[in-house]
Amino acid sequence: MASKLINMNGDLTDIFYRYKMPQVNIIKQGAFYAFTNIEELCKKKYLNRNILDIKKYLNKYFSTSWSYKNNNFITSAPVTQQRLQQSIFDYVNKFICCSVCNSPETKKEREKDSDINICSACGNIDILTDNGVIRKKKIENNNNNKVSININKD
């Protein structure tokens, strides 16, 4: 079932915003709640993130455990569609959008002991923590073509 596409940044009033994602779909299955379109949402053309990253965030956001079964995230905690959608908007704004240009065109990579986001729009590199972006790396090209990296603590 195709989900309605909505603005990735959570601004539902800007009809011309170009970055879209499927609206979350949650259904009640007996005593459990199933987030049924998580695989579609994580695809490269939308969030472009690993399902386990989203699971870790949802566990913390809802203070409950989510399990991955039959291509769905399942929880026993009562979760509404609106609250789940807001949690995904929060995830996008904290862990996907560039801290400089706010573009969601970022690629998550592992560098030494840190996760980083590399923005394909402006080239910014954000260092990620469990709470979101805490530092930016500014890459500067000196006259002698050496690259220096400045780490700013925000």
Side-chain angles (χ1 to χ4, degrees):
M1 181 173 104
S3 299
K4 174 184 171 187
L5 294 181
I6 57 175
N7 293 345
M8 190 178 280
N9 66 354
D11 180 3
L12 304 179
T13 60
D14 184 358
I15 61 171
F16 299 107
Y17 188 71
R18 85 179 204 186
Y19 302 106
K20 305 284 186 184
M21 69 177 181
Q23 187 173 4
V24 299
N25 187 22
I26 190 158
I27 59 173
K28 189 166 179 9
Q29 295 178 335
F32 298 96
Y33 293 83
F35 182 178
T36 59
N37 62 338
I38 185 61
E39 285 194 342
E40 179 186 12
L41 196 64
C42 289
K43 286 182 181 176
K44 188 171 184 168
K45 67 180 181 176
Y46 300 124
L47 298 185
N48 192 24
R49 291 298 186 267
N50 186 305
I51 282 181
L52 297 178
D53 292 340
I54 308 287
K55 180 180 179 278
K56 180 180 174 183
Y57 181 76
L58 292 177
N59 284 342
K60 188 171 181 179
Y61 187 92
F62 289 104
S63 300
T64 190
S65 177
W66 291 77
S67 60
Y68 186 68
K69 187 162 70 168
N70 299 330
N71 300 328
N72 297 323
F73 276 165
I74 309 290
T75 186
S76 60
V79 177
T80 65
Q81 192 271 339
Q82 293 82 10
R83 193 159 171 237
L84 181 59
Q85 185 68 66
Q86 187 58 51
S87 70
I88 298 299
F89 288 148
D90 290 347
Y91 179 83
V92 167
N93 290 317
K94 282 184 179 180
F95 296 100
I96 295 179
C97 289
C98 174
S99 66
V100 173
C101 69
N102 210 29
S103 170
E105 292 183 36
T106 59
K107 182 178 178 187
K108 183 179 175 186
E109 292 186 3
R110 187 87 177 149
E111 182 182 274
K112 295 182 184 173
D113 60 346
S114 300
D115 288 327
I116 61 171
N117 270 352
I118 301 172
C119 181
S120 61
C122 72
N124 180 56
I125 299 174
D126 289 326
I127 300 175
L128 303 174
T129 68
D130 287 344
N131 297 323
V133 174
I134 59 158
R135 295 184 281 178
K136 297 179 280 192
K137 284 186 175 181
K138 182 180 177 186
I139 299 177
E140 297 175 352
N141 194 353
N142 297 333
N143 292 339
N144 57 2
N145 291 331
K146 290 183 180 176
V147 175
S148 63
I149 300 174
N150 301 325
I151 298 178
N152 303 324
K153 292 186 179 181
D154 292 339

